[in-house]
Amino acid sequence: MRAFLGTPHHHHYSGQDLAVGIASGLVPCPLTLFVMTFSMSKGVPVAGVLFEMVMMIGVAATLSTEAAVRILFRKQIVRLFETKSGMLTTVARGLQALSGAIVVALAVHQVGSSI
């Protein structure tokens, strides 16, 4: 809905936000719990552990790359936001609307195919 209304989204970080981020990182995601339970039920716990290790490496690589890009290109990123903010806002709203439409279309397709 924010894609159509244009409601601004601002971030204000504090020590409490950091604590929440760290605490939520300690909670396993539902996919992790499902894979571990499934692999245990099938008698192959090693497969579940390997999956989780690969997933953890992927998350670490993604977050590290994103942080490195922000650090290395911070001046260019700031300049881009200062000079092209209108275009970036339009693109962001378009992507939000598109992703929402895709989720709705998938849900309609799933419901329609199960009837």
Side-chain angles (χ1 to χ4, degrees), residues 30-42 44-52:
L31 177 61
T32 303
L33 296 174
F34 171 77
V35 168
M36 290 306 296
T37 303
F38 184 76
S39 65
M40 295 290 284
S41 71
K42 295 296 180 183
V44 284
V46 173
V49 171
L50 289 175
F51 172 81
E52 299 311 324

Side-chain angles (χ1 to χ4, degrees), residues 11-24:
H11 293 278
H12 303 283
Y13 298 106
S14 67
Q16 183 179 4
D17 295 328
L18 179 60
V20 169
I22 291 170
S24 60

